Each structure stands twice: as C-alpha cells, then as structure tokens.
Amino acid sequence: MLKDLTTQEMEKRTDHPKESAEASKSLSSSPSVGGTLRRVNFDDLAAVMSINENVYGGSDYLPALFYIFLQSKQHAMYIYEDNGKATAFAIYYQHPEDDGLATAMAGRVRQSSQNQGFVNVMLSGHRKLNEKLTKVFYSSLLKPNIQERLPKWKLCDTTNFLIYKLDDRVKIQRFLRSGSSRDRGVSSSEPLSVSFSDGTKWLDASDQLVRFVSSHSGDFVGISPVWQTTRVSRSGLRRMFGVSKCFATFAGPKKEEEEDEEEEEEKSTRFEQRRTLTAFSFSSALQCKLGVNVGVNFYGNDCDVMIGHLAKHLRHYESVTDDDVAIIFGFQFPLTIDEATVQQKLSGDFGPRFKGGDHYSVTKIAHYIVPIPRSKL
C-alpha cells in the first residue's frame, strides 16, 4: 500500500492547512468496499493514470493539471487503494464563495471495480475532511440509463456537447474564412472580444451579463475543458474573465453616439448596457497528448451566431499554435439550438465528431446538485 503523507510532508508538498493533513491520516477502510482512501501526493500521478487506459481518447487534461491541482488550496484530490493498487480517483473544487458547495471535477474507477458505489465512497471521504460541505455540483455525459442510476441527484441543467479533432489547417482556414457573421448573412453584429479589464468594468456597471448567462445556465457555469464550475454571479464571472477568452454579440449596429464616444473607458462600460445582449461565449485551453484541448461554452439561441463565436475562438487558438498541432475543439451550447443542425453545418470543414474511444459517444451533458452522503468510511 502506498505510504500516507505525514503532517509535515503534506504541508511542505501541497501547502494545505495543518488540520486537513491531520484529517487525511484519519481516513480508514470502507466497510462496504474494502481498501483505503487518502489524499493524493506528488508521487501518485503514475498510479492515478494507471486506473483507466486511453482516457478521453488521448485528450485527457489530467497530466497537464495534476500538480497545479495538487498545490491549489481550492482543490482536493483523493485516491482509493485496494491492496496497494489504485482503484479510484476523484478531484473536488471548493467554491471560495460558498463553504457548503464543492464541484466534483473528475472521477475515475478501474473498470473491474465500476458500479460498486465508489462515487459515494469518494464523496463521503471528502465530506469527512470538510465538515461544512453539504452538496456537490457534478457534470456527466448523459449516457443511457444514467438517470435511473442517479435517482437522488437533482438535475439542474442539460446542455448539448460536441467535440471535434481538427488536425487539417487547410480545413480550419476554410472554416475561418466562411465563419464570420458577415459572410453568412447574419443580421447580428460580429462577436466582440471582451477583455478581463472590460469584462470586470461591465460587471461592475451592470447585472446584464449575470442575468443573461443565468437565463441560459441557471446558477452555475462550467469552465471547459476541465468543467470547473463557478457560480453565475459578479465574482464568479469575474473569475471566468480571468482565465478565459470571451466574446459577446449585441443586437443591431452601434448607435451613432456610441461611435462618436471619445472616452475608451465609457465605451467599454456604457454601450453594452444600451444594447441587447444576444450571445456570449468563453473558452480556455490546455495541452493534452493529442495537441491542444479547447473547451468553449456558448450562451444564446441562434445557430449561425454560435458558429460565428466558434470561428472567433478557433481563430485565436489556431493563431497561437504550430501548424502540426491538432486542436481538440469541444463546445457546450443550449438545447434551444438543434445539435443535428450544428453537426450538419460543421461537417464539411470539421468532419465527423471526435468520439474519444467511447467516452464522447453521446452529445448531451447533464449537470446535477448532489447531497453528500454521511456514511462512515
């Protein structure tokens, strides 16, 4: 069995508080499964990666983020071992604005041990180390019969999800040339890039963006491609602006007085309030075995406007990567946009969907609020 960290080692390696380190030593065997649950340490990456093979078909984010999560005070990672063999793994993100809420960012169970209740085992362990927690936000690909297996989970949102492997730069350039609203005859103005500075001024001046995103996603948004959830609030969206590339579309052309405005600061905080926000999107990216994994979240109801946003995001990541680097391009969007129509419009340039083995075989993601069980370990 892999050695548990001592209190001094935990503080030195992960910068977690002393009480968390001492609590991690108190986790004991599960009477229902058998084995030991403990906090992950710096030597565990190989063991964690051995739990499942070819995760996400080569687009796995974990190798790029494992040590970042390990040293973050907002993240907690757990490994479950049976006779010294890694059997299950989970990552939780603690919401800084809500002590009672965490996000289950990832969960992996060895194939031979699946469907044995490890979701509850890992959640119970996290509850034991974090007494204030009462619920967890969880996202899952909406595979057949998943609702029947999760009867006590509260479904709070469902989104479309498509993902493509783009490794032909000629096809990417062809899509980018035809992807603008102008070329597609869309009446809305082109998506506007929203910087962190402009975004925070926008949030300070108005609740327009908060209300718009909330109308499409409810109380939470997941920042792709790792699906790290944040609340739809001024502070939550400010955090999103800090780590994402963002675009917004407003109805109609700019008013004359806006074009004549001299002060740049006023432009970034006033014209958005005077126009109707019709679409918003944000994206982030990380390295993976196949290349660069890009995740986009889109909020709006128009398919062509969404494709214009996708073109903006793709143009950015295409411009900052070498020509021989594949772009794994995934995006979530509302059910009000027909997913089959989107696939049809993108098929000529994007080709077939990336299935990632069998992981991305479905095109819907469900978002749940899960009460944390209090069963003993």
Side-chain angles (χ1 to χ4, degrees):
M1 183 175 296
L2 297 176
K3 179 184 176 183
D4 284 351
L5 287 180
T6 65
T7 301
Q8 290 182 339
E9 288 172 327
M10 178 69 80
E11 291 176 337
K12 179 180 179 181
R13 296 188 179 188
T14 66
D15 197 30
H16 285 291
K18 180 177 180 180
E19 56 267 28
S20 296
E22 291 177 342
S24 68
K25 295 164 61 178
S26 68
L27 294 175
S28 58
S29 298
S30 167
S32 59
V33 183
T36 300
L37 177 67
R38 63 172 175 82
R39 294 288 287 271
V40 165
N41 65 51
F42 269 71
D43 301 322
D44 287 332
L45 178 57
V48 169
M49 296 301 296
S50 73
I51 293 174
N52 302 113
E53 296 181 357
N54 197 32
V55 177
Y56 304 121
S59 63
D60 189 5
Y61 60 83
L62 189 57
L65 295 178
F66 179 84
Y67 295 107
I68 295 175
F69 289 161
L70 192 61
Q71 297 182 77
S72 167
K73 291 183 178 181
Q74 301 300 133
H75 296 81
M77 297 193 292
Y78 302 87
I79 188 170
Y80 191 95
E81 298 166 313
D82 194 357
N83 294 321
K85 185 176 184 180
T87 303
F89 168 78
I91 307 173
Y92 297 95
Y93 171 73
Q94 176 59 49
H95 288 256
E97 66 271 23
D98 187 346
D99 289 340
L101 175 68
T103 292
M105 292 183 57
R108 302 182 182 185
V109 180
R110 191 173 294 277
Q111 187 172 5
S112 60
S113 300
Q114 293 178 2
N115 300 318
Q116 295 183 21
F118 273 103
V119 170
N120 285 342
V121 170
M122 307 306 273
L123 286 177
S124 297
H126 192 54
R127 176 64 178 84
K128 192 168 184 177
L129 292 181
N130 299 269
E131 293 296 331
K132 294 181 180 180
L133 292 179
T134 58
K135 54 188 178 297
V136 166
F137 186 89
Y138 182 83
S139 298
S140 174
L141 286 161
L142 198 57
K143 295 186 176 181
N145 303 321
I146 190 170
Q147 289 290 133
E148 298 176 7
R149 304 204 314 266
L150 307 172
K152 296 182 180 180
W153 292 20
K154 178 185 176 182
L155 179 64
C156 54
D157 187 31
T158 304
T159 60
N160 287 309
F161 176 71
L162 295 174
I163 186 167
Y164 295 86
K165 180 183 178 183
L166 307 178
D167 53 10
D168 187 332
R169 292 296 170 119
V170 173
K171 290 185 177 180
I172 291 177
Q173 288 294 334
R174 185 174 64 195
F175 169 74
L176 294 179
R177 286 194 296 270
S178 63
S180 69
S181 299
R182 186 181 304 106
D183 293 337
R184 289 176 288 109
V186 178
S187 58
S188 299
S189 58
E190 283 288 298
L192 303 175
S193 178
V194 185
S195 67
F196 175 78
S197 176
D198 286 348
T200 53
K201 291 174 184 176
W202 184 8
L203 291 170
D204 290 339
S206 168
D207 65 349
Q208 180 186 36
L209 182 59
V210 173
R211 287 187 288 104
F212 181 82
V213 175
S214 179
S215 70
H216 286 279
S217 68
D219 296 331
F220 302 93
V221 294
I223 301 177
S224 300
V226 297
W227 299 356
Q228 179 166 303
T229 307
T230 187
R231 280 192 178 277
V232 182
S233 62
R234 280 189 169 93
S235 61
L237 295 184
R238 188 176 292 111
R239 189 175 305 113
M240 175 269 299
F241 276 121
V243 298
S244 305
K245 185 72 176 176
C246 304
F247 293 93
T249 297
F250 299 89
K254 289 185 178 180
K255 298 178 181 179
E256 291 183 3
E257 60 266 28
E258 293 168 356
E259 296 175 348
D260 295 337
E261 193 76 55
E262 294 182 358
E263 292 294 332
E264 188 66 29
E265 181 176 351
E266 292 186 6
K267 282 186 179 181
S268 66
T269 60
R270 292 177 59 190
F271 81 92
E272 292 91 342
Q273 299 176 59
R274 286 188 264 170
R275 303 166 70 199
T276 301
L277 179 64
T278 59
F280 181 77
S281 64
F282 61 88
S283 67
S284 58
L286 51 84
Q287 291 182 327
C288 65
K289 184 169 64 176
L290 296 179
V292 176
N293 188 343
V294 176
V296 181
N297 291 66
F298 174 83
Y299 304 101
N301 296 316
D302 189 291
C303 178
D304 286 328
V305 171
M306 183 183 75
I307 291 176
H309 277 246
L310 296 180
K312 289 288 188 178
H313 290 284
L314 185 56
R315 184 183 301 278
H316 169 72
Y317 294 106
E318 187 271 344
S319 69
V320 296
T321 55
D322 293 332
D323 289 346
D324 59 348
V325 175
I327 299 176
I328 309 303
F329 194 66
F331 49 97
Q332 295 187 48
F333 55 101
L335 298 181
T336 52
I337 298 177
D338 182 60
E339 164 259 316
T341 300
V342 177
Q343 289 197 59
Q344 182 181 17
K345 287 177 176 289
L346 296 178
S347 61
D349 296 323
F350 282 13
R353 290 189 296 116
F354 176 64
K355 299 276 183 82
D358 184 53
H359 187 79
Y360 299 123
S361 59
V362 297
T363 59
K364 299 287 187 293
I365 294 176
H367 307 279
Y368 302 90
I369 291 290
V370 187
I372 300 179
R374 295 175 177 269
S375 57
K376 294 182 179 180
L377 292 174

